[in-house]
PDB file of all heavy atoms in Angstrom:
ATOM      1  N   TYR A 565       0.823  -1.206   0.000  1.00 97.00           N
ATOM      2  CA  TYR A 565       0.000   0.000   0.000  1.00 97.00           C
ATOM      3  C   TYR A 565       0.858   1.258   0.000  1.00 97.00           C
ATOM      4  O   TYR A 565       1.850   1.342   0.723  1.00 97.00           O
ATOM      5  CB  TYR A 565      -0.951  -0.011   1.200  1.00 97.00           C
ATOM      6  CG  TYR A 565      -1.916  -1.158   1.118  1.00 97.00           C
ATOM      7  CD1 TYR A 565      -1.654  -2.361   1.756  1.00 97.00           C
ATOM      8  CD2 TYR A 565      -3.062  -1.051   0.351  1.00 97.00           C
ATOM      9  CE1 TYR A 565      -2.525  -3.435   1.644  1.00 97.00           C
ATOM     10  CE2 TYR A 565      -3.938  -2.117   0.242  1.00 97.00           C
ATOM     11  CZ  TYR A 565      -3.662  -3.304   0.890  1.00 97.00           C
ATOM     12  OH  TYR A 565      -4.520  -4.366   0.769  1.00 97.00           O
ATOM     13  N   LEU A 566       0.462   2.217  -0.808  1.00 97.00           N
ATOM     14  CA  LEU A 566       1.164   3.492  -0.900  1.00 97.00           C
ATOM     15  C   LEU A 566       0.713   4.427   0.218  1.00 97.00           C
ATOM     16  O   LEU A 566      -0.450   4.384   0.633  1.00 97.00           O
ATOM     17  CB  LEU A 566       0.869   4.158  -2.253  1.00 97.00           C
ATOM     18  CG  LEU A 566       1.227   3.348  -3.501  1.00 97.00           C
ATOM     19  CD1 LEU A 566       0.782   4.096  -4.755  1.00 97.00           C
ATOM     20  CD2 LEU A 566       2.716   3.059  -3.540  1.00 97.00           C
ATOM     21  N   LYS A 567       1.600   5.275   0.671  1.00 96.00           N
ATOM     22  CA  LYS A 567       1.243   6.275   1.695  1.00 96.00           C
ATOM     23  C   LYS A 567       0.335   7.346   1.113  1.00 96.00           C
ATOM     24  O   LYS A 567      -0.502   7.901   1.804  1.00 96.00           O
ATOM     25  CB  LYS A 567       2.500   6.925   2.290  1.00 96.00           C
ATOM     26  CG  LYS A 567       3.338   5.963   3.086  1.00 96.00           C
ATOM     27  CD  LYS A 567       2.620   5.544   4.338  1.00 96.00           C
ATOM     28  CE  LYS A 567       3.490   4.585   5.142  1.00 96.00           C
ATOM     29  NZ  LYS A 567       2.767   3.909   6.172  1.00 96.00           N
ATOM     30  N   GLN A 568       0.515   7.639  -0.181  1.00 96.00           N
ATOM     31  CA  GLN A 568      -0.333   8.606  -0.869  1.00 96.00           C
ATOM     32  C   GLN A 568      -0.804   7.997  -2.172  1.00 96.00           C
ATOM     33  O   GLN A 568      -0.035   7.330  -2.866  1.00 96.00           O
ATOM     34  CB  GLN A 568       0.432   9.884  -1.193  1.00 96.00           C
ATOM     35  CG  GLN A 568       0.694  10.757  -0.014  1.00 96.00           C
ATOM     36  CD  GLN A 568       1.261  12.080  -0.490  1.00 96.00           C
ATOM     37  OE1 GLN A 568       2.280  12.120  -1.149  1.00 96.00           O
ATOM     38  NE2 GLN A 568       0.570  13.154  -0.148  1.00 96.00           N
ATOM     39  N   MET A 569      -2.056   8.238  -2.496  1.00 96.00           N
ATOM     40  CA  MET A 569      -2.578   7.754  -3.769  1.00 96.00           C
ATOM     41  C   MET A 569      -1.976   8.569  -4.911  1.00 96.00           C
ATOM     42  O   MET A 569      -1.625   9.738  -4.734  1.00 96.00           O
ATOM     43  CB  MET A 569      -4.100   7.872  -3.798  1.00 96.00           C
ATOM     44  CG  MET A 569      -4.783   6.956  -2.826  1.00 96.00           C
ATOM     45  SD  MET A 569      -6.588   6.981  -3.005  1.00 96.00           S
ATOM     46  CE  MET A 569      -6.975   8.556  -2.266  1.00 96.00           C
ATOM     47  N   LEU A 570      -1.876   7.926  -6.070  1.00 96.00           N
ATOM     48  CA  LEU A 570      -1.383   8.581  -7.281  1.00 96.00           C
ATOM     49  C   LEU A 570      -2.473   8.546  -8.335  1.00 96.00           C
ATOM     50  O   LEU A 570      -3.139   7.511  -8.493  1.00 96.00           O
ATOM     51  CB  LEU A 570      -0.162   7.836  -7.831  1.00 96.00           C
ATOM     52  CG  LEU A 570       1.030   7.670  -6.901  1.00 96.00           C
ATOM     53  CD1 LEU A 570       2.040   6.725  -7.520  1.00 96.00           C
ATOM     54  CD2 LEU A 570       1.640   9.027  -6.624  1.00 96.00           C
ATOM     55  N   PRO A 571      -2.666   9.615  -9.086  1.00 96.00           N
ATOM     56  CA  PRO A 571      -3.668   9.578 -10.156  1.00 96.00           C
ATOM     57  C   PRO A 571      -3.299   8.517 -11.191  1.00 96.00           C
ATOM     58  O   PRO A 571      -2.164   8.491 -11.690  1.00 96.00           O
ATOM     59  CB  PRO A 571      -3.614  10.980 -10.768  1.00 96.00           C
ATOM     60  CG  PRO A 571      -2.876  11.824  -9.784  1.00 96.00           C
ATOM     61  CD  PRO A 571      -1.999  10.914  -8.987  1.00 96.00           C
ATOM     62  N   ALA A 572      -4.208   7.623 -11.484  1.00 95.00           N
ATOM     63  CA  ALA A 572      -3.940   6.569 -12.475  1.00 95.00           C
ATOM     64  C   ALA A 572      -3.598   7.189 -13.825  1.00 95.00           C
ATOM     65  O   ALA A 572      -2.738   6.667 -14.548  1.00 95.00           O
ATOM     66  CB  ALA A 572      -5.147   5.641 -12.595  1.00 95.00           C
ATOM     67  N   ALA A 573      -4.226   8.296 -14.153  1.00 93.00           N
ATOM     68  CA  ALA A 573      -3.977   8.948 -15.441  1.00 93.00           C
ATOM     69  C   ALA A 573      -2.534   9.432 -15.564  1.00 93.00           C
ATOM     70  O   ALA A 573      -2.034   9.601 -16.673  1.00 93.00           O
ATOM     71  CB  ALA A 573      -4.941  10.117 -15.634  1.00 93.00           C
ATOM     72  N   GLY A 574      -1.849   9.621 -14.455  1.00 92.00           N
ATOM     73  CA  GLY A 574      -0.474  10.106 -14.480  1.00 92.00           C
ATOM     74  C   GLY A 574       0.573   9.017 -14.611  1.00 92.00           C
ATOM     75  O   GLY A 574       1.764   9.303 -14.725  1.00 92.00           O
ATOM     76  N   ILE A 575       0.154   7.763 -14.598  1.00 91.00           N
ATOM     77  CA  ILE A 575       1.097   6.640 -14.714  1.00 91.00           C
ATOM     78  C   ILE A 575       1.486   6.465 -16.177  1.00 91.00           C
ATOM     79  O   ILE A 575       0.619   6.392 -17.053  1.00 91.00           O
ATOM     80  CB  ILE A 575       0.477   5.330 -14.173  1.00 91.00           C
ATOM     81  CG1 ILE A 575       0.037   5.490 -12.720  1.00 91.00           C
ATOM     82  CG2 ILE A 575       1.415   4.154 -14.373  1.00 91.00           C
ATOM     83  CD1 ILE A 575       1.145   5.634 -11.717  1.00 91.00           C
ATOM     84  N   ASP A 576       2.771   6.369 -16.439  1.00 91.00           N
ATOM     85  CA  ASP A 576       3.273   6.161 -17.801  1.00 91.00           C
ATOM     86  C   ASP A 576       3.125   4.681 -18.154  1.00 91.00           C
ATOM     87  O   ASP A 576       3.969   3.857 -17.803  1.00 91.00           O
ATOM     88  CB  ASP A 576       4.735   6.598 -17.898  1.00 91.00           C
ATOM     89  CG  ASP A 576       5.314   6.430 -19.287  1.00 91.00           C
ATOM     90  OD1 ASP A 576       4.591   6.008 -20.218  1.00 91.00           O
ATOM     91  OD2 ASP A 576       6.529   6.718 -19.443  1.00 91.00           O
ATOM     92  N   ARG A 577       2.046   4.366 -18.845  1.00 90.00           N
ATOM     93  CA  ARG A 577       1.742   2.972 -19.187  1.00 90.00           C
ATOM     94  C   ARG A 577       2.746   2.377 -20.155  1.00 90.00           C
ATOM     95  O   ARG A 577       2.903   1.153 -20.210  1.00 90.00           O
ATOM     96  CB  ARG A 577       0.336   2.880 -19.754  1.00 90.00           C
ATOM     97  CG  ARG A 577      -0.702   3.222 -18.687  1.00 90.00           C
ATOM     98  CD  ARG A 577      -2.077   3.242 -19.230  1.00 90.00           C
ATOM     99  NE  ARG A 577      -2.468   1.913 -19.643  1.00 90.00           N
ATOM    100  CZ  ARG A 577      -3.693   1.551 -19.914  1.00 90.00           C
ATOM    101  NH1 ARG A 577      -4.668   2.418 -19.813  1.00 90.00           N
ATOM    102  NH2 ARG A 577      -3.968   0.333 -20.299  1.00 90.00           N
ATOM    103  N   SER A 578       3.451   3.195 -20.918  1.00 90.00           N
ATOM    104  CA  SER A 578       4.432   2.662 -21.867  1.00 90.00           C
ATOM    105  C   SER A 578       5.558   1.929 -21.138  1.00 90.00           C
ATOM    106  O   SER A 578       6.181   1.033 -21.693  1.00 90.00           O
ATOM    107  CB  SER A 578       5.000   3.775 -22.746  1.00 90.00           C
ATOM    108  OG  SER A 578       5.825   4.650 -21.993  1.00 90.00           O
ATOM    109  N   ARG A 579       5.777   2.260 -19.896  1.00 91.00           N
ATOM    110  CA  ARG A 579       6.832   1.604 -19.108  1.00 91.00           C
ATOM    111  C   ARG A 579       6.413   0.210 -18.636  1.00 91.00           C
ATOM    112  O   ARG A 579       7.232  -0.539 -18.119  1.00 91.00           O
ATOM    113  CB  ARG A 579       7.202   2.474 -17.933  1.00 91.00           C
ATOM    114  CG  ARG A 579       7.753   3.837 -18.418  1.00 91.00           C
ATOM    115  CD  ARG A 579       8.268   4.630 -17.310  1.00 91.00           C
ATOM    116  NE  ARG A 579       9.481   3.966 -16.843  1.00 91.00           N
ATOM    117  CZ  ARG A 579      10.266   4.448 -15.919  1.00 91.00           C
ATOM    118  NH1 ARG A 579       9.966   5.593 -15.360  1.00 91.00           N
ATOM    119  NH2 ARG A 579      11.340   3.801 -15.525  1.00 91.00           N
ATOM    120  N   LEU A 580       5.143  -0.124 -18.813  1.00 92.00           N
ATOM    121  CA  LEU A 580       4.659  -1.441 -18.394  1.00 92.00           C
ATOM    122  C   LEU A 580       4.946  -2.519 -19.427  1.00 92.00           C
ATOM    123  O   LEU A 580       4.683  -3.694 -19.187  1.00 92.00           O
ATOM    124  CB  LEU A 580       3.159  -1.384 -18.089  1.00 92.00           C
ATOM    125  CG  LEU A 580       2.760  -0.487 -16.925  1.00 92.00           C
ATOM    126  CD1 LEU A 580       1.251  -0.465 -16.778  1.00 92.00           C
ATOM    127  CD2 LEU A 580       3.431  -0.939 -15.647  1.00 92.00           C
ATOM    128  N   ASP A 581       5.440  -2.117 -20.583  1.00 91.00           N
ATOM    129  CA  ASP A 581       5.865  -3.051 -21.626  1.00 91.00           C
ATOM    130  C   ASP A 581       4.794  -4.096 -21.963  1.00 91.00           C
ATOM    131  O   ASP A 581       5.048  -5.291 -21.984  1.00 91.00           O
ATOM    132  CB  ASP A 581       7.175  -3.740 -21.208  1.00 91.00           C
ATOM    133  CG  ASP A 581       7.896  -4.384 -22.383  1.00 91.00           C
ATOM    134  OD1 ASP A 581       7.705  -3.923 -23.525  1.00 91.00           O
ATOM    135  OD2 ASP A 581       8.641  -5.359 -22.151  1.00 91.00           O
ATOM    136  N   GLY A 582       3.553  -3.613 -22.162  1.00 89.00           N
ATOM    137  CA  GLY A 582       2.470  -4.494 -22.585  1.00 89.00           C
ATOM    138  C   GLY A 582       1.731  -5.196 -21.455  1.00 89.00           C
ATOM    139  O   GLY A 582       0.769  -5.909 -21.708  1.00 89.00           O
ATOM    140  N   ILE A 583       2.150  -5.019 -20.235  1.00 92.00           N
ATOM    141  CA  ILE A 583       1.462  -5.621 -19.085  1.00 92.00           C
ATOM    142  C   ILE A 583       0.278  -4.731 -18.720  1.00 92.00           C
ATOM    143  O   ILE A 583       0.387  -3.511 -18.690  1.00 92.00           O
ATOM    144  CB  ILE A 583       2.417  -5.753 -17.881  1.00 92.00           C
ATOM    145  CG1 ILE A 583       3.575  -6.681 -18.234  1.00 92.00           C
ATOM    146  CG2 ILE A 583       1.666  -6.248 -16.646  1.00 92.00           C
ATOM    147  CD1 ILE A 583       4.675  -6.697 -17.199  1.00 92.00           C
ATOM    148  N   ALA A 584      -0.859  -5.337 -18.457  1.00 92.00           N
ATOM    149  CA  ALA A 584      -2.041  -4.569 -18.061  1.00 92.00           C
ATOM    150  C   ALA A 584      -1.770  -3.881 -16.723  1.00 92.00           C
ATOM    151  O   ALA A 584      -1.223  -4.500 -15.805  1.00 92.00           O
ATOM    152  CB  ALA A 584      -3.247  -5.488 -17.939  1.00 92.00           C
ATOM    153  N   PRO A 585      -2.147  -2.613 -16.591  1.00 94.00           N
ATOM    154  CA  PRO A 585      -1.901  -1.903 -15.330  1.00 94.00           C
ATOM    155  C   PRO A 585      -2.539  -2.595 -14.126  1.00 94.00           C
ATOM    156  O   PRO A 585      -2.002  -2.543 -13.022  1.00 94.00           O
ATOM    157  CB  PRO A 585      -2.523  -0.520 -15.545  1.00 94.00           C
ATOM    158  CG  PRO A 585      -2.872  -0.420 -16.968  1.00 94.00           C
ATOM    159  CD  PRO A 585      -2.804  -1.779 -17.580  1.00 94.00           C
ATOM    160  N   GLU A 586      -3.661  -3.272 -14.333  1.00 93.00           N
ATOM    161  CA  GLU A 586      -4.347  -3.962 -13.226  1.00 93.00           C
ATOM    162  C   GLU A 586      -3.558  -5.170 -12.715  1.00 93.00           C
ATOM    163  O   GLU A 586      -3.885  -5.720 -11.668  1.00 93.00           O
ATOM    164  CB  GLU A 586      -5.743  -4.399 -13.651  1.00 93.00           C
ATOM    165  CG  GLU A 586      -6.690  -3.249 -13.891  1.00 93.00           C
ATOM    166  CD  GLU A 586      -6.649  -2.688 -15.312  1.00 93.00           C
ATOM    167  OE1 GLU A 586      -5.789  -3.117 -16.118  1.00 93.00           O
ATOM    168  OE2 GLU A 586      -7.466  -1.822 -15.627  1.00 93.00           O
ATOM    169  N   GLU A 587      -2.521  -5.595 -13.442  1.00 92.00           N
ATOM    170  CA  GLU A 587      -1.635  -6.663 -12.956  1.00 92.00           C
ATOM    171  C   GLU A 587      -0.566  -6.111 -12.025  1.00 92.00           C
ATOM    172  O   GLU A 587       0.043  -6.864 -11.268  1.00 92.00           O
ATOM    173  CB  GLU A 587      -0.949  -7.367 -14.124  1.00 92.00           C
ATOM    174  CG  GLU A 587      -1.891  -8.180 -14.992  1.00 92.00           C
ATOM    175  CD  GLU A 587      -1.153  -8.882 -16.113  1.00 92.00           C
ATOM    176  OE1 GLU A 587      -0.473  -9.896 -15.815  1.00 92.00           O
ATOM    177  OE2 GLU A 587      -1.264  -8.441 -17.267  1.00 92.00           O
ATOM    178  N   VAL A 588      -0.329  -4.812 -12.092  1.00 94.00           N
ATOM    179  CA  VAL A 588       0.763  -4.177 -11.369  1.00 94.00           C
ATOM    180  C   VAL A 588       0.275  -3.262 -10.250  1.00 94.00           C
ATOM    181  O   VAL A 588       0.932  -3.117  -9.229  1.00 94.00           O
ATOM    182  CB  VAL A 588       1.633  -3.356 -12.362  1.00 94.00           C
ATOM    183  CG1 VAL A 588       2.789  -2.671 -11.663  1.00 94.00           C
ATOM    184  CG2 VAL A 588       2.120  -4.237 -13.502  1.00 94.00           C
TER     185      VAL A 588
END
């Protein structure tokens, strides 16, 4: 668990290399 939430829209999905964000 994170101490502070992060906006999902701000996550750089290209760094996930094809992995669905819901897996990470």
Side-chain angles (χ1 to χ4, degrees):
Y565 297 94
L566 302 176
K567 293 292 181 194
Q568 286 189 302
M569 293 186 286
L570 303 171
I575 303 291
D576 181 2
R577 294 176 66 166
S578 69
R579 299 187 70 175
L580 296 177
D581 198 26
I583 298 171
E586 292 88 354
E587 292 181 75
V588 180

